[in-house]
Amino acid sequence: MSARRAAFVLGSLEVFGPLSMDLSMPLLPRLARDLHTSDSLAQASMSVCMLGLALGQLVTGPLSDRFGRRRPLLWGVALFTVFSLLCAFAPTIEILLVLRFLQGVAGSAGVVIALAAARDIASGAELARLLSLLGLVGALAPILAPVAGGQLAAVLDWRGLFVVLAGVGVALLVVSATLLPETLPPPLRHAGGFAETGRRFGVVLRDRLFVCYLLVGACTGTAFFTYLASISFVLQDGFHLSPQAFGLVFAMNAIVAVFGSLSNRAVVRRAGPARMYVLGTTATAVAALALLGTVVLGLGLGLLLAVLALVLFCYGVISPNSSTLALTGHGERAGTAAALLGMSSFAVGPVVAPLVALGGSPELTMACTMAVATTLACVLVWATVRPRLRRSQDAPPAGAHHADDAGAQHGALH
């Protein structure tokens, strides 16, 4: 596939997460009234969907290593369509919660296989450039989904939105079936059952460098989900912005993250994924600490937004390089490795959001959490990731398929 075609097809598959969770946001209060339930249970329908997206990747990713990418993907998208339609007819909140979880499990196929397929067709700096393009979807979809949901809410009820989601599933099924070729040839698939799948998880988790990437990713993911969970309270309750002004600021922040991904794509071929990863993680921690200082010193909304934009710009740089480096050396286990990466990222959200809500001042809670999380990520990168990259030789971990990947991973540090 050409880079543009791959970015379009694989980027389309990454909308499962934002669409599944954010499209229904404007109609949660109406959903609660119609099903005679509480607001908290209505909101839980989003949390269980995110949990399904996290856990489902641990199943779909290894399956794609065994059967190839297309078959699990097509089954997953088809089941996502079916469960979305069933959600539209859910008679009770209990049944809806079960269906939303299954919808997330099915949708996880698109998320994890998009990353695994990208690893199949590219490596090193070229993979980082491709993932930077996919990152544009990841940054824009959380904005467009609630906006689209708000517009649809004017003409549809919450059941109608799930019918729309089913229609999106049909469209993505057509895109996947017609435009995405098989990226994992049969000789590279494994033929084992549960034992072989468990062994592959073990091989990936015994790669200490991969585990370091997981831990750093969990820290940066914590900072990002803290931002998502807190920013509406910070701007609307703390600084009294109108919903329209908040929407504008949220959109601008997402555009800044897009520029981060584009900037990474422009320079990563020359600088290398490792150097961009270290630089991005360090700059994120510095920006988050500046954010904390801005809040503590009460320096005003303008400076707070400027520093927050810098944090999100750096996040746009970190994300594609983190995935690139973590998947290096695991070409034969790309689905399994991508599943662990995706699970760690999606599992953070349902935990972080309610914990952050327990804090006092929303801006101070947000700034403290983001500063601590990104500082810990920076310390992990400098204390564990960077030294291991320097010590690693040109040979990848035992059993890896692409022998040139380790050099692509760490060469830029020398």
Side-chain angles (χ1 to χ4, degrees):
M1 287 190 295
S2 67
R4 289 184 179 179
R5 179 177 170 185
F8 169 73
V9 176
L10 301 181
S12 298
L13 297 176
E14 291 204 337
V15 305
F16 278 107
L19 279 181
S20 300
M21 292 178 289
D22 297 342
L23 193 64
S24 61
M25 282 176 60
L27 285 173
L28 286 179
R30 199 181 306 177
L31 183 153
R33 290 196 300 270
D34 288 350
L35 295 182
H36 308 290
T37 189
S38 64
D39 289 344
S40 60
L41 277 178
Q43 291 170 338
S45 67
M46 295 179 62
S47 295
V48 297
C49 182
M50 187 181 292
L51 187 61
L53 283 164
L55 297 179
Q57 295 184 61
L58 297 179
V59 176
T60 311
L63 284 178
S64 74
D65 284 342
R66 181 177 181 184
F67 297 108
R69 310 302 182 205
R70 275 178 58 86
R71 205 186 323 175
L73 173 63
L74 296 179
W75 272 105
V77 179
L79 288 173
F80 174 87
T81 303
V82 171
F83 288 129
S84 297
L85 195 58
L86 290 176
C87 285
F89 297 98
T92 65
I93 186 62
E94 292 80 10
I95 292 177
L96 179 64
L97 291 176
V98 172
L99 291 173
R100 286 284 274 164
F101 175 78
L102 295 174
Q103 181 194 43
V105 171
S108 69
V111 179
V112 68
I113 291 177
L115 184 55
R119 176 60 185 82
D120 291 339
I121 62 180
S123 63
E126 295 309 312
L127 177 57
R129 284 168 54 82
L130 176 57
L131 292 180
S132 294
L133 288 180
L134 301 191
L136 305 186
V137 177
L140 291 175
I143 306 174
L144 299 179
V147 172
Q151 296 302 313
L152 290 171
V155 294
L156 297 172
D157 62 5
W158 64 271
R159 297 184 186 276
L161 284 184
F162 282 112
V163 174
V164 170
L165 269 180
V168 172
V170 171
L172 291 176
L173 184 61
V174 172
V175 168
S176 303
T178 58
L179 297 181
L180 182 66
E182 179 56 67
T183 60
L184 186 67
L188 298 182
R189 303 174 193 173
H190 77 83
F194 288 110
E196 175 63 17
T197 298
R199 188 191 71 80
R200 285 173 169 256
F201 272 117
V203 170
V204 174
L205 291 174
R206 283 195 297 272
D207 179 356
R208 294 183 180 180
L209 191 53
F210 181 88
V211 173
C212 291
Y213 290 128
L214 277 185
L215 294 175
V216 173
C219 291
T220 56
T222 297
F224 183 69
F225 277 107
T226 296
Y227 160 75
L228 290 180
S230 307
I231 191 62
S232 62
F233 298 102
V234 170
L235 296 183
Q236 294 186 78
D237 295 345
F239 291 94
H240 310 294
L241 265 64
S242 67
Q244 293 75 23
F246 163 71
L248 178 62
V249 170
F250 190 78
M252 292 301 295
N253 282 343
I255 292 172
V256 168
V258 167
F259 277 114
S261 293
L262 289 175
S263 300
N264 179 72
R265 176 174 168 78
V267 303
V268 72
R269 185 179 285 166
R270 182 173 62 254
R275 183 175 296 167
M276 294 301 296
Y277 177 67
V278 173
L279 177 63
T281 308
T282 304
T284 303
V286 172
L289 289 170
L291 176 67
L292 178 59
T294 301
V295 170
V296 171
L297 297 176
L299 299 182
L301 178 62
L303 188 57
L304 182 144
L305 292 179
V307 177
L308 191 57
L310 179 59
V311 174
L312 294 171
F313 178 91
C314 295
Y315 186 82
V317 173
I318 293 173
S319 185
N321 294 301
S322 173
S323 297
T324 297
L325 296 173
L327 291 175
T328 294
H330 293 291
E332 292 182 346
R333 298 170 291 274
T336 302
L340 290 168
L341 288 174
M343 185 276 298
S344 66
S345 131
F346 276 96
V348 169
V351 176
V352 168
L355 291 180
V356 170
L358 295 176
S361 167
E363 58 266 29
L364 185 59
T365 302
M366 180 187 75
C368 281
T369 306
M370 293 178 70
V372 171
T374 55
T375 300
L376 182 56
C378 182
V379 170
L380 285 169
V381 166
W382 282 89
T384 63
V385 175
R386 195 168 186 271
R388 288 183 184 278
L389 286 174
R390 281 191 172 279
R391 289 196 301 268
S392 63
Q393 302 301 316
D394 287 341
H401 176 64
H402 294 286
D404 59 330
D405 284 349
Q409 181 186 54
H410 69 80
L413 288 178
H414 296 277

